[in-house]
Amino acid sequence: MTLIKILVVNGNEDDFIIIKNLLANIPHTNNYILYSCDSYENAINSMLKSQYDLYMVFYHLKSHKGIELLNEAIKSNVAEPIIIINETDDYYADEDALKKGASAYLSKGNLDAYSLDRTIRYALHQQKNLQRIKESEKKFRTIFEKSPDPILITDVSGNIHDINPAGEKFFGSLRVNIMKRNALSLYKNPADREVFISQIEQRGSVSNLIIPLIAANNEVKICVISSFLQISQHGDNELFHTVIHDITHFKVHSGPAQPINSA
């Protein structure tokens, strides 16, 4: 059985007793170990040391507001979920807390055992998913930075969102300057960009496409490019992650884009 340590940051002892009594009505309440804290300083110190799995912070504390504690925690990259609890429903306080990074906002007047338990479980589940995403992003970033081949991240309009150090060297320009350009300017033959877009929109990826690119000092390099489409979590942005492999020394080519025959 996994024990979940919860710190209740309360304005008074009654707040803690309310939470304790509510969770006592949950069948698996023995999974939860509750701790009480009424000091802003002690609470932020615990958060910075990751001493608990989840924090329930009441909106009104003795010397501060719970939203101030939330602000400080988010600025300090506290990873554990934080649930804000207010005396009553307050739409603007709710919106503010969620925008600032709270996992949930609850009204003390509407609390019941099962909604509280469900909120805790959802917040913990959400936190695990976010942690997986962060770990994946960290791994990708390591590969991105250390890859010996240029990696370019663009969108359908050709806006350049990022490029790795190998790409800076290949195109002979700093990242900040390359990102001001459009991807189309990197192609020797503009029609090749249309071939690239067509393939990635139809298949979701491009595999081993041979095209000439304009590299450092306007030198044309024959390259094999492979790319995949990544859609953002909310589906509002499509990015093409493209790996460029220079094969100039192995193949002389100046015609239109060609796929490598892998048969």
Side-chain angles (χ1 to χ4, degrees), residues 160-174:
I160 299 174
H161 291 253
D162 209 351
I163 190 166
N164 67 343
E168 290 182 300
K169 182 178 180 180
F170 180 80
F171 290 108
S173 184
L174 295 175

Side-chain angles (χ1 to χ4, degrees), residues 33-105:
I33 304 178
L34 297 182
Y35 300 85
S36 176
C37 172
D38 62 2
S39 164
Y40 176 97
E41 291 75 17
N42 291 341
I44 193 63
N45 185 55
S46 295
M47 290 176 171
L48 295 176
K49 294 179 179 178
S50 297
Q51 292 179 335
Y52 300 92
D53 301 303
L54 180 140
Y55 300 89
M56 290 187 188
V57 179
F58 278 80
Y59 198 86
H60 296 287
L61 305 177
K62 286 184 176 180
S63 59
H64 295 76
K65 285 188 175 181
I67 203 73
E68 295 177 78
L69 181 59
L70 172 67
N71 266 332
E72 186 65 27
I74 297 302
K75 287 179 182 178
S76 301
N77 296 316
V78 171
E80 292 75 26
I82 300 171
I83 297 172
I84 297 292
I85 303 175
N86 203 354
E87 295 292 327
T88 58
D89 284 322
D90 185 326
Y91 174 82
Y92 296 105
D94 186 339
E95 284 287 295
D96 187 42
L98 295 178
K99 285 180 180 178
K100 284 181 166 62
S103 296
Y105 175 96

